[in-house]
Amino acid sequence: MAEERTVMRTQLPTSAESQNPQLKKALEFPILEKQNWLIHLHYIHKDYEACKAVIKEQLRETQGLCEYALYVQALIFRLEGNIQDSLELFQTCAVLSPQCADNLKQVARSLFLLGKHKAATEVYNEAAKLNQKDWEICHNLGVCYIYLKQFNKARDQLHHALHLNRHDLTYIMLGKIHLLEGNLDKAIEIYKKAVEFSPENTELLTTLGLLYLQAILAAGSMMQTHGDFDVALTKYRIVACAVPESPPLWNNIGMCFFGKKKYVAAISCLKRANYLAPFDWKILYNLGLVHLTMQQYASAFHFLSAAINFQPKMAELYMLLAVALTNLEDTENAKRAYAEAVHLDKCNPLVNLNYAVLLYNQGQKREALAQYQEMEKKVNLLKDSSSLEFDSEMVEVAQKLGAALHVGEALVWTKPAKDSRSQHRTTSASKAACFQQPLGSNQALGQAMSSAAAYRKLPSERGEGREKEERNIDE
């Protein structure tokens, strides 16, 4: 037994010595990824400075060939806002592992953040070839196509993403496509599906509710456009119970009262809308219009000036401001406002007509004739491009001014018959010219432009012995 123990003791050291060289070689072999665990630990703890220090050491040891270190370094650069640097590092990762779809996804993401949406779609398509079942690639491709205004491709990609894996964000982006296309019904349908999938998502529930209210608001606006003010107000009452602090709602209610000639109520509603949205130029526009109608020219000047500050490229605002200044007996500034309106406007004959009347009243007949002729050119263009009936008040004023300027026989229009079914006329040029969008409602814009063609009295011209009528801006 003693001998056997001795043998065993002598055998054990020999086996240990024979294994030592192998272990030593394994420890000395360079491992590119040996610090990855530490890099990951610092990164998830958001200790970015320590993480960058370990990454720097790892890249120095591996001569810049550690893919994971480069990848995390790129993520940190992106978080710090260095998108271009992160893009270059992600591209390096893609070179080191060309078959890795995640690297291509990060390259595409950086391109997207740099605003290079077309390049991002190309990289995402390459990533999709490597991984055809990644819903995130399809989702991000859809978002890129939205920015490129290619809504059909965006819709296809988002539907494919939902087929692979349903996510709230994909539903939201798909709904936004339908809203951008103006298809409210389909947007509501998408959000209903999203709420069924994720009923606890408050953003989805809120958006769906607002879309329903928007649909009611749109129906009321359409009725308001056709002069059905009482029915429109009934619709708006439903919306007011749910969203009592909606600026567009109170704007439209105010213009309903304006259409019904209840001007005090209109001002009250519009001022509430202005309180809720003080930087909305459409509300300021309508407030200026109502004050002009009530012959409160100083208040009208105040609101129209504010509207111009927010919408300085709209000719009609300068025109209405000029009418307010004319009634405030500030002729010089009125001329400057008209000149700016003429400079900005390309297709609304009312601007030139109003300016011509002011110039005629100031005795500048040659300049008034030039504006009148410019108005006729715009009317001809409108008649050629669309079959519309010009506002009766505008035609009447133009005929009388033309006669005063001795160009009555050259009038390019005829006075249309009045529509007995409608008490509110559609504006001659404004509604068709340049295809202006409604200001709160189509009726509001129609009233604004229609009323702008009315004036006081033209001064009697020497030699004729008769007066030419001119009415003020308010009806």
Side-chain angles (χ1 to χ4, degrees):
M1 291 293 292
E3 291 180 359
E4 291 179 358
R5 289 178 184 173
T6 307
V7 172
M8 290 178 65
R9 288 176 185 172
T10 54
Q11 287 176 350
L12 286 172
T14 31
S15 64
E17 287 177 3
S18 63
Q19 291 177 1
N20 278 339
Q22 295 179 359
L23 291 173
K24 193 173 181 181
K25 287 183 180 178
L27 291 173
E28 290 179 355
F29 187 79
I31 302 176
L32 297 178
E33 312 292 341
K34 65 180 181 180
Q35 298 279 4
N36 286 2
W37 67 274
L38 186 57
I39 293 173
H40 177 73
L41 189 65
H42 286 311
Y43 182 77
I44 62 174
H45 288 166
K46 297 184 179 180
D47 189 359
Y48 299 133
E49 294 302 322
C51 186
K52 287 192 287 187
V54 177
I55 290 172
K56 184 178 180 181
E57 180 184 352
Q58 179 81 337
L59 292 175
R60 181 178 55 80
E61 292 179 359
T62 61
Q63 298 180 352
L65 297 178
C66 181
E67 179 187 347
Y68 187 74
L70 291 169
Y71 188 92
V72 176
Q73 179 78 77
L75 291 176
I76 295 174
F77 279 156
R78 183 188 292 171
L79 289 172
E80 293 175 344
N82 299 323
I83 309 300
Q84 185 62 42
D85 293 338
S86 75
L87 172 61
E88 294 172 0
L89 289 178
F90 282 129
Q91 288 173 333
T92 304
C93 293
V95 172
L96 292 173
S97 296
Q99 299 302 315
C100 180
D102 287 337
N103 289 336
L104 291 178
K105 284 165 58 177
Q106 295 298 342
V107 171
R109 177 65 179 168
S110 294
L111 288 169
F112 174 82
L113 293 174
L114 289 171
K116 300 177 180 179
H117 303 114
K118 188 175 181 180
T121 57
E122 295 174 358
V123 179
Y124 273 128
N125 282 319
E126 291 297 322
K129 295 176 182 178
L130 299 174
N131 189 352
Q132 298 179 355
K133 295 185 178 181
D134 190 337
W135 75 272
E136 191 177 354
I137 294 176
C138 298
H139 172 89
N140 291 336
L141 258 176
V143 175
C144 288
Y145 283 129
I146 290 175
Y147 280 92
L148 293 172
K149 308 297 183 184
Q150 299 178 16
F151 297 132
N152 291 331
K153 290 184 178 180
R155 196 183 302 110
D156 293 340
Q157 291 294 335
L158 292 172
H159 278 299
H160 188 45
L162 288 174
H163 177 72
L164 294 172
N165 202 341
R166 298 170 72 184
H167 282 80
D168 297 351
L169 187 58
T170 307
Y171 279 114
I172 291 173
M173 298 309 299
L174 193 56
K176 285 183 178 180
I177 290 177
H178 292 303
L179 290 176
L180 288 171
E181 292 178 332
N183 197 332
L184 186 60
D185 294 335
K186 285 190 176 180
I188 291 175
E189 183 181 347
I190 291 295
Y191 277 102
K192 284 173 66 178
K193 292 180 180 179
V195 169
E196 291 173 3
F197 167 70
S198 180
E200 73 284 352
N201 190 319
T202 55
E203 183 182 355
L204 290 174
L205 291 168
T206 304
T207 305
L208 181 60
L210 291 174
L211 288 178
Y212 277 128
L213 293 174
Q214 185 178 343
I216 299 174
L217 197 63
S221 180
M222 188 176 299
M223 295 170 186
Q224 183 177 347
T225 302
H226 292 89
D228 298 331
F229 301 115
D230 292 326
V231 181
L233 286 172
T234 303
K235 297 292 184 183
Y236 294 148
R237 191 175 292 113
I238 299 172
V239 181
C241 294
V243 190
E245 308 216 346
S246 170
L249 170 66
W250 289 106
N251 177 71
N252 282 12
I253 292 174
M255 296 319 292
C256 275
F257 284 123
F258 178 73
K260 297 179 69 174
K261 300 188 184 302
K262 296 182 178 180
Y263 301 128
V264 176
I267 288 178
S268 177
C269 294
L270 287 170
K271 284 194 173 180
R272 181 166 185 174
N274 183 47
Y275 173 78
L276 295 171
F279 302 120
D280 192 331
W281 69 272
K282 298 177 184 179
I283 298 172
L284 294 167
Y285 178 102
N286 288 335
L287 272 168
L289 171 65
V290 177
H291 281 293
L292 279 175
T293 305
M294 297 184 70
Q295 300 183 6
Q296 297 174 351
Y297 303 115
S299 297
F301 171 81
H302 168 74
F303 289 112
L304 291 171
S305 299
I308 287 174
N309 287 330
F310 297 116
Q311 190 72 10
K313 300 298 182 182
M314 185 176 180
E316 286 82 359
L317 280 170
Y318 287 97
M319 179 184 70
L320 294 179
L321 181 67
V323 176
L325 288 167
T326 302
N327 285 279
L328 291 171
E329 299 181 358
D330 189 352
T331 308
E332 292 302 318
N333 284 323
K335 287 181 181 178
R336 293 191 185 98
Y338 274 128
E340 185 64 22
V342 169
H343 172 71
L344 293 172
D345 180 73
K346 303 300 179 186
C347 48
N348 190 347
L350 286 169
V351 175
N352 302 95
L353 176 59
N354 288 351
Y355 194 13
V357 171
L358 175 66
L359 292 171
Y360 181 85
N361 287 339
Q362 297 299 313
Q364 302 176 13
K365 295 184 180 179
R366 182 176 298 176
E367 292 82 355
L369 179 61
Q371 292 299 324
Y372 189 88
Q373 291 171 343
E374 189 65 27
M375 175 202 67
E376 288 187 318
K377 293 178 183 177
K378 293 180 180 179
V379 170
N380 279 325
L381 291 174
L382 289 174
K383 290 179 69 177
D384 294 338
S385 60
S386 61
S387 58
L388 58 92
E389 289 186 351
F390 294 96
D391 182 76
S392 58
E393 292 188 12
M394 176 181 176
V395 175
E396 183 179 355
V397 171
Q399 287 175 335
K400 292 179 179 178
L401 179 61
L405 294 171
H406 304 289
V407 292
E409 297 179 357
L411 289 175
V412 297
W413 48 34
T414 56
K415 187 173 182 179
K418 292 184 178 179
D419 186 1
S420 60
R421 296 177 59 187
S422 175
Q423 295 295 327
H424 301 275
R425 296 168 301 277
T426 305
T427 304
S428 59
S430 163
K431 191 171 180 181
C434 299
F435 301 97
Q436 288 281 353
Q437 295 295 320
L439 302 181
S441 67
N442 288 335
Q443 188 65 31
L445 183 61
Q447 286 286 346
M449 297 300 102
S450 171
S451 60
Y455 290 87
R456 291 176 300 178
K457 288 187 177 181
L458 287 167
S460 56
E461 188 178 13
R462 295 179 184 177
E464 281 191 281
R466 52 196 179 103
E467 292 185 349
K468 320 298 179 193
E469 292 185 2
E470 178 196 8
R471 292 182 296 280
N472 199 350
I473 181 140
D474 25 296
E475 298 179 343

